[in-house]
Amino acid sequence: MSINTPGSRNLFQSLLKGAKTLSQLTQAHAQVILHGFQNDLSNVTKLAHKLSEFNDMNYARDLFSSVPKPDLFLFNVLIRGFSNNDMPHSSIFLYTHLRKRTYLKPDNFTYSFVISAAGSTCFDHRISALLHGHAIVDGYGDDMFVGAALVDLYFKFSCVEFARKVFDRICDRDTVLWNTMISGLLKNSCFEDSVLVFGDMVRNGGTRLNSTSVAAVLPAVAELQELRLGMEIQCLGLKLGFHDHVYVLTGLLSFYSKCGEIERAKSLFRDIGRPDLISCNAMISGYTCNGEIESSVRLFQELLASRERVNSSTIVGLIPVFYPLGHLQLTTCIHGFCLKSGIISNSSVSTALTTVYSRLDEIEAARQLFDESSEKSLASWNAMIAGYTQNGLTEEAISLFQKMQTSKVIPNPVTVTSILSACAQLGALSLGKWVHGLVKSRNFESNIYVSTALIDMYAKCGNIVEAQELFDLMPQKTEVTWNAMISGYGLHGHGQEALKLFSEMLHSGIQPSGVTFLSALYACSHAGLVKEGNEIFQSMIHDHGFEPLPEHYACMVDILGRAGQLEKALKFIKGLPVDPGPAVWGALLGACMIHKDTNLARVASEKLFELDPENVGYYVLLSNIYSAERRYPQAASVRQVVRKRKLAKTPGCTLIEVDGAPHVFTSGDRLHPQSTAIYSKLEELNGKMREAGFQTETITALHDVEEEEKELMVKVHSEKLAIAFGLITTEPGSEIRIIKNLRVCLDCHTATKFISKITGRIIVVRDANRFHHFKDGVCSCGDYW
């Protein structure tokens, strides 16, 4: 047989195909060259494909460069090979070369492979739109193969709406495309939509449901805690013959674990004859997320004893993220094991450890772990930002987010939700608006968690109108979304609007939670709606079957107390089925301050000093009540106790943002670069206020100083300094917004009313309790705060 016959070509292709190692492959290539087949495209293509499998794409690139006229098939093999071997830039470069420097036209395989490469984190979402446009122009916009790749790509960039549009345009969908849609929605936290698409797939008789479809939807059902639906899907899997598939059983095991049905999960685990590592990992995670830490550790030890090689998923499941309290020692032991085994280099492991350290308030350990991670994934950035936010370290969260931006890491909806929460806590409206712009540019608006976080941010940063507009535009709302808007109305003193929304929520079919009732009661408290508050409280117990928490009882005491019904509040406390805690007695003491009831204040204080002796706020309140009654010896006695116990009062401070930059003031602050101009403006305002009839409120100032000194003390409170700074640095007529970390004092509240009248400015103040909108000498709270 001649060496140049077709049979010879087939022989060399068989040699290439049969190569088991890179060394064997190079020897086969040498034979191809030796016998003159080095330019034979079928041999070159087979060789390039095998090089891709052996992860030697540099060899494949050199091989490709040696071919004078590569065909489209060879281009596709190389583009796919680069994509599969984490060389996305090379895939894109080769695709660009194909379009610009050859007469070849990309086909549906080309687009599928290059679109897959574009899903790498080193690119942004704009390349998705570019490739999508090219595919449409070349006639592959509705191709199912290309469509599946595009749907997956858009989901990777959290462009959920674009993914939906591509999916909806494809009429003839196969199982892979349906599964891509289900899992993509799941990964973007669109759990309800993932389940809905699965339902559509089941109803679509032309599409063959497979075991991957069942396994893909179960995590979404678990997140929704839809136990009955999950059981129905289990029955469907049984009917279709998938129930003995190990990964379906594993998916069901995880589902029941997340729904708190740990006994069913254990039963399924026993049904797996010889559980593999994946099933064991799911069971370890199931034990952990149900608080059965000892069982989780025991199964982990059994794995080690059996010489089974554990992996990163094993460790992530073992880390007590869901039940961290009391498990610091276990966490440090796991951390040590990870360091010794080298698993700590895995991003998912370090991220889980960062999360649990943050939840244990070991924030320094979390940050050290984050800083030492050689490869920081998006999830690890999110974990650290969320850790700072959850621990109230909002400035650190924002600083890390800014560092993330400079590191060219592209945020996702989880990042945005965390940073919006930080903005809400800090009251950083300008940054919140910037993040909103990012949400729009990244097309995250359809994400229900992002939209809810935006509503919460605007409400807590003082822009209730923007919050309401966003709420009205949302096509779907969760219970958390309704709660955020109801709470926002309450925070701004719009009690009637809050109750109207609460009623709409009940009629919409969304089940209220304890937080919902607390938000509604809070709104009643700050609007004097005693009757309505009592009705909601009774409805919560009798109509909805909720067991009130201490916060609900405290809110009811606050509602009665603020309305001056102090005896009713005391009677309510005495009739409670549980021992009232600090929150309940604290609400009564606060009401005593408003209505200057010294006798009842003493009763409440004695209980508070017994229940929470280290809380200096209760001593300050009682001292202020005595001072208001001009009972200075008693006030002095309370302050003496504070000094003896070495209790420290939280210093008051006020933040104002001007041109996006934060400025923080404390009482009597003279450290600001513009302090001379600030104090000059304050003197000018004081003169005009006195002419308008303002009198300084000094009743709660220290009793052992002269009256003139008392006036001087309250004149330089931090909120007055911040307002004066706002007046000299912002445009005339513009709105001034400040944030106080404590409850605004009576003198500053009165002064701010006068300042709003004199200057014609709207002044928005957020204190520790609520928002105050001052306009034309009137406050939105109606002096009821």
Side-chain angles (χ1 to χ4, degrees):
M1 182 175 65
S2 171
I3 200 71
N4 288 319
T5 63
S8 302
R9 183 183 294 111
N10 293 338
L11 171 65
F12 289 123
Q13 286 195 21
S14 297
L15 283 173
L16 293 170
K17 184 178 180 182
K20 302 297 182 185
T21 64
L22 184 60
S23 175
Q24 291 178 2
L25 189 64
T26 55
Q27 290 176 36
H29 186 199
Q31 290 298 317
V32 168
I33 296 170
L34 185 64
H35 292 92
F37 282 98
Q38 65 269 26
N39 291 326
D40 184 273
L41 281 176
S42 60
N43 280 319
V44 171
T45 304
K46 176 59 69 177
L47 178 58
H49 179 71
K50 290 294 288 187
L51 286 168
S52 171
E53 290 181 358
F54 287 128
N55 304 321
D56 196 340
M57 291 309 297
N58 290 325
Y59 191 160
R61 182 191 283 115
D62 293 340
L63 177 70
F64 177 82
S65 301
S66 70
V67 178
K69 289 186 178 180
D71 62 2
L72 183 60
F73 192 24
L74 182 57
F75 266 100
N76 287 349
V77 167
L78 263 292
I79 291 170
R80 185 185 190 186
F82 284 130
S83 177
N84 290 344
N85 284 276
D86 296 322
M87 300 173 70
H89 283 103
S90 297
S91 281
I92 300 295
F93 175 81
L94 197 58
Y95 165 75
T96 305
H97 178 82
L98 168 66
R99 285 183 61 88
K100 292 185 176 181
R101 298 186 181 180
T102 74
Y103 293 103
L104 299 172
K105 185 178 178 182
D107 64 6
N108 57 342
F109 291 102
T110 315
Y111 280 114
S112 175
F113 300 150
V114 76
I115 287 167
S116 295
S120 169
T121 54
C122 59
F123 300 117
D124 66 24
H125 68 289
R126 288 173 293 185
I127 198 167
S128 314
L130 180 67
L131 291 171
H132 191 180
H134 287 177
I136 291 170
V137 169
D138 285 345
Y140 298 109
D142 297 334
D143 181 88
M144 183 173 60
F145 199 44
V146 175
L150 278 168
V151 167
D152 186 55
L153 178 64
Y154 279 128
F155 276 133
K156 284 179 179 175
F157 289 116
S158 297
C159 299
V160 176
E161 284 306 308
F162 289 161
R164 286 180 197 274
K165 287 177 181 177
V166 173
F167 180 79
D168 290 342
R169 280 181 61 90
I170 300 170
C171 300
D172 186 20
R173 304 166 188 151
D174 66 355
T175 304
V176 173
L177 181 57
W178 281 97
N179 291 349
T180 301
M181 193 69 190
I182 293 165
S183 59
L185 288 165
L186 168 72
K187 289 171 186 173
N188 282 272
S189 301
C190 301
F191 307 121
E192 290 183 353
D193 291 338
S194 180
V195 173
L196 287 172
V197 170
F198 177 80
D200 290 341
M201 184 182 184
V202 172
R203 287 185 288 272
N204 188 315
T207 304
R208 182 171 177 78
L209 196 76
N210 65 9
S211 54
T212 303
S213 317
V214 174
V217 77
L218 282 170
V221 183
E223 290 293 338
L224 294 170
Q225 298 287 288
E226 291 283 358
L227 181 60
R228 183 179 179 83
L229 178 59
M231 292 170 73
E232 289 173 355
I233 291 172
Q234 182 181 9
C235 292
L236 177 65
L238 187 64
K239 181 180 177 182
L240 296 172
F242 303 147
H243 199 269
D244 59 344
H245 291 212
V246 173
Y247 53 94
V248 172
L249 282 171
T250 302
L252 286 165
L253 188 160
S254 294
F255 160 72
Y256 281 119
S257 296
K258 288 185 178 179
C259 288
E261 297 286 330
I262 190 64
E263 293 304 321
R264 294 192 187 196
K266 292 176 186 177
S267 176
L268 284 166
F269 186 65
R270 287 191 294 269
D271 286 346
I272 303 172
R274 297 182 65 184
D276 59 9
L277 181 60
I278 296 172
S279 301
C280 289
N281 289 350
M283 196 65 243
I284 288 171
S285 178
Y287 282 133
T288 303
C289 72
N290 282 277
E292 295 193 14
I293 307 299
E294 289 183 7
S295 298
S296 178
V297 172
R298 193 181 306 116
L299 182 54
F300 174 71
Q301 291 171 333
E302 288 173 9
L303 272 178
L304 293 179
S306 68
R307 300 192 180 277
E308 178 74 56
R309 187 174 179 84
V310 299
N311 60 15
S312 57
S313 297
T314 321
I315 302 299
V316 171
L318 185 66
I319 295 169
V321 173
F322 302 100
Y323 289 89
L325 298 180
H327 293 296
L328 177 58
Q329 186 178 0
L330 172 62
T331 302
T332 54
C333 286
I334 296 170
H335 190 175
F337 176 86
C338 293
L339 287 168
K340 287 180 181 178
S341 62
I343 294 179
I344 195 68
S345 61
N346 184 280
S347 179
S348 61
V349 171
S350 61
T351 299
L353 283 168
T354 299
T355 301
V356 79
Y357 276 132
S358 297
R359 291 181 180 177
L360 286 165
D361 201 19
E362 296 287 333
I363 202 72
E364 290 182 7
R367 183 57 192 260
Q368 183 179 349
L369 188 62
F370 173 79
D371 289 339
E372 290 174 354
S373 298
S374 56
E375 194 174 322
K376 295 179 179 66
S377 66
L378 175 59
S380 65
W381 286 93
N382 288 348
M384 196 64 243
I385 290 170
Y388 277 135
T389 302
Q390 289 157 9
N391 283 278
L393 301 170
T394 51
E395 293 181 10
E396 288 85 347
I398 290 169
S399 174
L400 189 62
F401 174 69
Q402 291 167 339
K403 185 177 179 181
M404 176 183 169
Q405 294 289 101
T406 58
S407 300
K408 306 297 183 185
V409 179
I410 300 169
N412 69 358
V414 176
T415 326
V416 170
T417 302
S418 289
I419 208 65
L420 284 172
S421 177
C423 292
Q425 289 181 45
L426 193 60
L429 182 61
S430 58
L431 178 61
K433 286 182 174 178
W434 183 87
V435 176
H436 191 180
L438 177 68
V439 167
K440 291 177 179 177
S441 69
R442 303 287 302 167
N443 295 293
F444 292 161
E445 290 168 297
S446 61
N447 186 290
I448 200 164
Y449 299 97
V450 171
S451 297
T452 299
L454 277 169
I455 290 166
D456 187 59
M457 183 275 294
Y458 276 116
K460 288 179 179 173
C461 288
N463 196 335
I464 194 68
V465 174
E466 182 72 22
Q468 181 183 329
E469 288 175 358
L470 285 169
F471 180 84
D472 291 340
L473 287 171
M474 285 182 70
Q476 290 181 305
K477 303 173 180 73
T478 66
E479 166 249 317
V480 179
T481 313
W482 288 91
N483 291 350
M485 197 65 231
I486 293 167
S487 175
Y489 277 136
L491 200 60
H492 288 265
H494 303 325
Q496 293 293 350
E497 288 87 341
L499 295 190
K500 181 183 175 186
L501 199 64
F502 175 68
S503 178
E504 288 178 16
M505 177 183 176
L506 296 181
H507 286 99
S508 72
I510 299 286
Q511 287 298 313
S513 66
V515 175
T516 313
F517 286 107
L518 191 62
S519 300
L521 290 171
Y522 177 89
C524 293
S525 170
H526 285 278
L529 303 174
V530 179
K531 179 187 173 186
E532 293 86 345
N534 186 58
E535 288 173 354
I536 289 171
F537 184 78
Q538 296 302 326
S539 173
M540 176 180 74
I541 299 169
H542 301 297
D543 298 335
H544 296 274
F546 276 98
E547 186 72 30
L549 296 172
E551 292 85 355
H552 297 106
Y553 291 129
C555 230
M556 276 307 300
V557 172
D558 196 49
I559 288 171
L560 295 167
R562 284 178 185 274
Q565 300 179 21
L566 296 176
E567 290 301 325
K568 278 190 177 181
L570 183 61
K571 184 179 178 182
F572 177 84
I573 292 171
K574 289 180 177 179
L576 292 181
V578 295
D579 290 335
V584 173
W585 288 111
L588 182 62
L589 183 60
C592 291
M593 173 65 197
I594 296 169
H595 299 286
K596 302 178 179 62
D597 190 323
T598 314
N599 295 327
L600 199 52
R602 189 164 50 251
V603 173
S605 298
E606 287 173 359
K607 291 288 186 182
L608 286 165
F609 297 158
E610 179 187 328
L611 292 167
D612 194 4
E614 299 303 311
N615 192 323
V616 70
Y618 302 136
Y619 293 90
V620 173
L621 261 179
L622 182 60
S623 173
N624 287 344
I625 291 168
Y626 281 134
S627 295
E629 290 283 294
R630 301 190 180 278
R631 298 171 67 175
Y632 297 129
Q634 288 87 341
S637 176
V638 174
R639 287 190 167 105
Q640 185 65 26
V641 172
V642 171
R643 281 191 289 271
K644 282 183 177 180
R645 299 185 65 112
K646 295 182 180 179
L647 300 177
K649 179 178 180 284
T650 303
C653 63
T654 302
L655 177 143
I656 181 171
E657 274 192 357
V658 176
D659 296 329
H663 299 262
V664 180
F665 294 90
T666 56
S667 184
D669 194 343
R670 289 188 178 272
L671 297 175
H672 196 279
Q674 292 177 257
S675 62
T676 302
I678 291 168
Y679 277 86
S680 174
K681 186 66 177 179
L682 206 51
E683 278 301 311
E684 176 194 328
L685 288 171
N686 284 327
K688 291 180 178 179
M689 285 158 58
R690 281 194 297 271
E691 290 174 10
F694 172 71
Q695 290 185 328
T696 303
E697 299 277 0
T698 60
I699 57 171
T700 60
L702 292 173
H703 70 279
D704 49 359
V705 296
E706 295 297 325
E707 191 67 26
E708 186 177 338
E709 193 174 343
K710 289 183 184 180
E711 287 197 24
L712 183 60
M713 288 163 62
V714 295
K715 277 181 181 177
V716 292
H717 276 184
S718 61
E719 47 264 67
K720 292 193 180 85
L721 296 174
I723 291 170
F725 176 68
L727 289 169
I728 64 175
T729 54
T730 58
E731 290 294 320
S734 62
E735 188 174 274
I736 293 174
R737 294 170 179 268
I738 66 171
I739 298 166
K740 176 78 182 286
N741 68 325
L742 304 175
R743 183 178 183 270
V744 66
C745 76
L746 177 60
D747 181 73
C748 286
H749 189 269
T750 306
T752 308
K753 289 197 291 185
F754 274 85
I755 294 171
S756 71
K757 179 74 172 177
I758 292 165
T759 62
R761 298 279 198 115
I762 294 174
I763 303 172
V764 180
V765 179
R766 187 181 102 179
D767 71 4
N769 284 355
R770 61 173 298 161
F771 272 95
H772 304 261
H773 296 258
F774 297 90
K775 183 179 180 182
D776 296 329
V778 177
C779 180
S780 60
C781 75
D783 299 337
Y784 190 86
W785 86 105

